[in-house]
PDB file of all heavy atoms in Angstrom:
ATOM      1  N   MET A 395     109.299 108.214 112.880  1.00 94.00           N
ATOM      2  CA  MET A 395     109.741 109.683 113.100  1.00 94.00           C
ATOM      3  C   MET A 395     108.835 110.649 112.477  1.00 94.00           C
ATOM      4  O   MET A 395     108.584 111.672 113.115  1.00 94.00           O
ATOM      5  CB  MET A 395     111.114 109.763 112.384  1.00 94.00           C
ATOM      6  CG  MET A 395     111.794 111.176 112.775  1.00 94.00           C
ATOM      7  SD  MET A 395     113.178 111.671 111.540  1.00 94.00           S
ATOM      8  CE  MET A 395     112.241 112.470 110.265  1.00 94.00           C
ATOM      9  N   LEU A 396     108.211 110.316 111.320  1.00 92.00           N
ATOM     10  CA  LEU A 396     107.254 111.289 110.783  1.00 92.00           C
ATOM     11  C   LEU A 396     106.040 111.450 111.640  1.00 92.00           C
ATOM     12  O   LEU A 396     105.468 112.575 111.875  1.00 92.00           O
ATOM     13  CB  LEU A 396     106.840 110.804 109.320  1.00 92.00           C
ATOM     14  CG  LEU A 396     107.901 110.736 108.195  1.00 92.00           C
ATOM     15  CD1 LEU A 396     107.313 110.147 106.984  1.00 92.00           C
ATOM     16  CD2 LEU A 396     108.438 112.336 107.972  1.00 92.00           C
ATOM     17  N   SER A 397     105.518 110.261 112.158  1.00 93.00           N
ATOM     18  CA  SER A 397     104.424 110.430 113.077  1.00 93.00           C
ATOM     19  C   SER A 397     104.604 111.041 114.262  1.00 93.00           C
ATOM     20  O   SER A 397     103.754 111.870 114.595  1.00 93.00           O
ATOM     21  CB  SER A 397     103.974 108.816 113.370  1.00 93.00           C
ATOM     22  OG  SER A 397     102.766 108.791 114.052  1.00 93.00           O
ATOM     23  N   LEU A 398     105.786 110.947 114.848  1.00 93.00           N
ATOM     24  CA  LEU A 398     106.193 111.701 116.039  1.00 93.00           C
ATOM     25  C   LEU A 398     106.291 113.231 115.792  1.00 93.00           C
ATOM     26  O   LEU A 398     105.766 114.062 116.560  1.00 93.00           O
ATOM     27  CB  LEU A 398     107.518 111.313 116.600  1.00 93.00           C
ATOM     28  CG  LEU A 398     107.904 111.791 117.986  1.00 93.00           C
ATOM     29  CD1 LEU A 398     106.848 111.566 119.033  1.00 93.00           C
ATOM     30  CD2 LEU A 398     109.311 111.321 118.398  1.00 93.00           C
ATOM     31  N   GLU A 399     106.965 113.580 114.600  1.00 89.00           N
ATOM     32  CA  GLU A 399     107.033 114.968 114.097  1.00 89.00           C
ATOM     33  C   GLU A 399     105.652 115.532 113.919  1.00 89.00           C
ATOM     34  O   GLU A 399     105.436 116.752 114.248  1.00 89.00           O
ATOM     35  CB  GLU A 399     107.963 114.961 112.959  1.00 89.00           C
ATOM     36  CG  GLU A 399     109.417 114.688 113.119  1.00 89.00           C
ATOM     37  CD  GLU A 399     110.129 115.907 113.566  1.00 89.00           C
ATOM     38  OE1 GLU A 399     109.639 117.161 113.519  1.00 89.00           O
ATOM     39  OE2 GLU A 399     111.199 115.777 114.080  1.00 89.00           O
ATOM     40  N   SER A 400     104.801 114.823 113.311  1.00 88.00           N
ATOM     41  CA  SER A 400     103.521 115.236 113.126  1.00 88.00           C
ATOM     42  C   SER A 400     102.809 115.509 114.453  1.00 88.00           C
ATOM     43  O   SER A 400     102.158 116.583 114.527  1.00 88.00           O
ATOM     44  CB  SER A 400     102.592 114.231 112.322  1.00 88.00           C
ATOM     45  OG  SER A 400     101.296 114.529 112.284  1.00 88.00           O
ATOM     46  N   ARG A 401     102.958 114.596 115.398  1.00 88.00           N
ATOM     47  CA  ARG A 401     102.244 114.833 116.717  1.00 88.00           C
ATOM     48  C   ARG A 401     102.741 115.900 117.420  1.00 88.00           C
ATOM     49  O   ARG A 401     102.072 116.866 117.949  1.00 88.00           O
ATOM     50  CB  ARG A 401     102.419 113.560 117.599  1.00 88.00           C
ATOM     51  CG  ARG A 401     101.902 113.627 119.042  1.00 88.00           C
ATOM     52  CD  ARG A 401     100.425 113.753 119.004  1.00 88.00           C
ATOM     53  NE  ARG A 401      99.884 113.801 120.331  1.00 88.00           N
ATOM     54  CZ  ARG A 401      99.297 112.856 120.953  1.00 88.00           C
ATOM     55  NH1 ARG A 401      99.102 111.695 120.346  1.00 88.00           N
ATOM     56  NH2 ARG A 401      98.806 112.934 122.189  1.00 88.00           N
ATOM     57  N   GLU A 402     104.005 116.119 117.531  1.00 86.00           N
ATOM     58  CA  GLU A 402     104.720 117.097 118.417  1.00 86.00           C
ATOM     59  C   GLU A 402     104.694 118.606 117.748  1.00 86.00           C
ATOM     60  O   GLU A 402     104.601 119.502 118.431  1.00 86.00           O
ATOM     61  CB  GLU A 402     106.145 116.770 118.618  1.00 86.00           C
ATOM     62  CG  GLU A 402     106.238 115.492 119.593  1.00 86.00           C
ATOM     63  CD  GLU A 402     107.592 115.264 120.104  1.00 86.00           C
ATOM     64  OE1 GLU A 402     108.619 115.853 119.518  1.00 86.00           O
ATOM     65  OE2 GLU A 402     107.670 114.671 121.224  1.00 86.00           O
ATOM     66  N   SER A 403     104.522 118.622 116.447  1.00 83.00           N
ATOM     67  CA  SER A 403     104.298 119.916 115.795  1.00 83.00           C
ATOM     68  C   SER A 403     102.939 120.412 115.828  1.00 83.00           C
ATOM     69  O   SER A 403     102.551 121.603 115.633  1.00 83.00           O
ATOM     70  CB  SER A 403     104.740 119.789 114.266  1.00 83.00           C
ATOM     71  OG  SER A 403     103.847 118.970 113.563  1.00 83.00           O
ATOM     72  N   ASN A 404     101.979 119.471 116.216  1.00 79.00           N
ATOM     73  CA  ASN A 404     100.539 119.914 116.334  1.00 79.00           C
ATOM     74  C   ASN A 404     100.070 119.812 117.695  1.00 79.00           C
ATOM     75  O   ASN A 404      98.900 120.223 117.926  1.00 79.00           O
ATOM     76  CB  ASN A 404      99.748 118.956 115.384  1.00 79.00           C
ATOM     77  CG  ASN A 404      99.936 119.311 113.950  1.00 79.00           C
ATOM     78  OD1 ASN A 404      99.392 120.213 113.357  1.00 79.00           O
ATOM     79  ND2 ASN A 404     100.757 118.465 113.326  1.00 79.00           N
ATOM     80  N   ASP A 405     100.831 119.234 118.663  1.00 66.00           N
ATOM     81  CA  ASP A 405     100.355 119.184 120.011  1.00 66.00           C
ATOM     82  C   ASP A 405     101.151 120.146 120.903  1.00 66.00           C
ATOM     83  O   ASP A 405     102.236 120.000 121.156  1.00 66.00           O
ATOM     84  CB  ASP A 405     100.581 117.716 120.446  1.00 66.00           C
ATOM     85  CG  ASP A 405      99.950 117.407 121.806  1.00 66.00           C
ATOM     86  OD1 ASP A 405      99.524 118.300 122.542  1.00 66.00           O
ATOM     87  OD2 ASP A 405      99.796 116.222 122.108  1.00 66.00           O
ATOM     88  N   SER A 406     100.404 121.201 121.360  1.00 61.00           N
ATOM     89  CA  SER A 406     101.098 122.248 122.223  1.00 61.00           C
ATOM     90  C   SER A 406     101.563 121.784 123.485  1.00 61.00           C
ATOM     91  O   SER A 406     102.428 122.277 124.106  1.00 61.00           O
ATOM     92  CB  SER A 406     100.154 123.380 122.286  1.00 61.00           C
ATOM     93  OG  SER A 406      98.982 122.938 122.884  1.00 61.00           O
ATOM     94  N   ARG A 407     101.023 120.619 123.884  1.00 60.00           N
ATOM     95  CA  ARG A 407     101.421 119.989 125.266  1.00 60.00           C
ATOM     96  C   ARG A 407     102.958 119.630 125.078  1.00 60.00           C
ATOM     97  O   ARG A 407     103.564 119.488 126.172  1.00 60.00           O
ATOM     98  CB  ARG A 407     100.610 118.734 125.543  1.00 60.00           C
ATOM     99  CG  ARG A 407      99.284 119.171 126.020  1.00 60.00           C
ATOM    100  CD  ARG A 407      98.432 117.940 126.466  1.00 60.00           C
ATOM    101  NE  ARG A 407      97.383 118.392 127.326  1.00 60.00           N
ATOM    102  CZ  ARG A 407      96.972 117.623 128.404  1.00 60.00           C
ATOM    103  NH1 ARG A 407      97.559 116.585 128.735  1.00 60.00           N
ATOM    104  NH2 ARG A 407      96.073 118.136 129.152  1.00 60.00           N
ATOM    105  N   SER A 408     103.496 119.278 123.939  1.00 58.00           N
ATOM    106  CA  SER A 408     104.786 118.798 123.798  1.00 58.00           C
ATOM    107  C   SER A 408     105.839 119.903 123.989  1.00 58.00           C
ATOM    108  O   SER A 408     107.047 119.725 124.029  1.00 58.00           O
ATOM    109  CB  SER A 408     104.960 118.210 122.399  1.00 58.00           C
ATOM    110  OG  SER A 408     104.775 119.076 121.387  1.00 58.00           O
ATOM    111  N   LEU A 409     105.506 121.173 124.094  1.00 47.00           N
ATOM    112  CA  LEU A 409     106.343 122.285 124.173  1.00 47.00           C
ATOM    113  C   LEU A 409     106.875 122.552 125.573  1.00 47.00           C
ATOM    114  O   LEU A 409     107.835 123.247 125.802  1.00 47.00           O
ATOM    115  CB  LEU A 409     105.583 123.617 123.724  1.00 47.00           C
ATOM    116  CG  LEU A 409     105.036 123.634 122.395  1.00 47.00           C
ATOM    117  CD1 LEU A 409     104.338 124.926 122.033  1.00 47.00           C
ATOM    118  CD2 LEU A 409     106.275 123.515 121.300  1.00 47.00           C
TER     119      LEU A 409
END
Side-chain angles (χ1 to χ4, degrees):
M395 191 196 85
L396 291 178
S397 190
L398 185 63
E399 287 281 340
S400 171
R401 175 61 179 258
E402 293 191 334
S403 64
N404 289 281
D405 191 344
S406 55
R407 288 184 159 217
S408 63
L409 298 176

